[in-house]
Amino acid sequence: MTVNLSRERTAAPATPPVKRLVVEVVNFALVGGSGVAVNFLVFNVLLHGLHRAAMVATVAASLVAMGTNYLGFRYVTYRDRASRTRRQIALFFVFSGIGVAMESGLFYVGYHGLGLAGPFESNAVKAASIVLASAFRFLVCRTWVFQHDAHRA
């Protein structure tokens, strides 16, 4: 009698697409949430603490958050996607730059156009602009920036 000691590896069951999307959205929200915290912190320090111009504060805060978000998206949210490439980095910063422009434009309309310039109002306008620009960022990050690696899929 012979005993077969080798074990065949069975592939892990595939995760349903809806569950993968939910996990992706949750991870995106966690990383994005930390970016929002950085964004608000820098924004409020510059605008209300150091009394910088509103547009300087919002753009600078968004740029700092963009850098922290890249690291979070690359190493947390989309760590299972294609490895880091120059193309991926360039796409992330191009699309994030468009997101910063969207966010800043929306902020400008609320802050200057609608006169929502007080501490509470400016933060509410900042929050609304972040939410709207984040929807764009989510779509482009998952679709074009952090694509699935065809060799691993």
Side-chain angles (χ1 to χ4, degrees):
M1 176 159 117
T2 60
V3 177
N4 186 356
L5 296 177
S6 66
R7 288 186 161 181
E8 288 185 34
R9 290 188 171 227
T10 57
T15 307
V18 172
K19 184 177 179 183
R20 277 194 311 259
L21 181 61
V22 168
V23 168
E24 182 181 339
V25 169
V26 168
N27 284 337
F28 187 91
L30 290 173
V31 170
S34 68
V36 168
V38 167
N39 200 329
F40 273 106
L41 177 69
V42 173
F43 172 73
N44 281 291
V45 166
L46 291 174
L47 181 63
H48 302 296
L50 300 175
H51 306 290
R52 299 292 186 246
M55 292 310 295
V56 169
T58 195
V59 171
S62 296
L63 292 174
V64 171
M66 180 189 343
T68 61
N69 281 349
Y70 175 76
L71 296 173
F73 291 145
R74 175 67 193 104
Y75 295 107
V76 177
T77 305
Y78 299 112
R79 69 181 173 271
D80 62 329
R81 304 271 175 113
S83 61
R84 181 179 60 92
T85 63
R86 288 184 190 151
R87 179 180 182 275
Q88 181 188 74
I89 294 168
L91 284 173
F92 178 84
F93 285 103
V94 165
F95 286 128
S96 291
I98 293 169
V100 168
M102 291 170 62
E103 185 181 321
S104 300
L106 293 165
F107 178 80
Y108 183 89
V109 168
Y111 189 87
H112 293 291
L114 300 175
L116 302 172
F120 176 77
E121 294 88 357
S122 64
N123 278 284
V125 169
K126 181 74 172 165
S129 67
I130 289 171
V131 167
L132 294 172
S134 292
F136 166 78
R137 289 179 183 118
F138 174 74
L139 291 174
V140 298
C141 279
R142 76 178 314 267
T143 304
W144 291 297
V145 178
F146 298 104
Q147 296 177 341
H148 281 287
D149 186 349
H151 299 292
R152 286 193 253 171

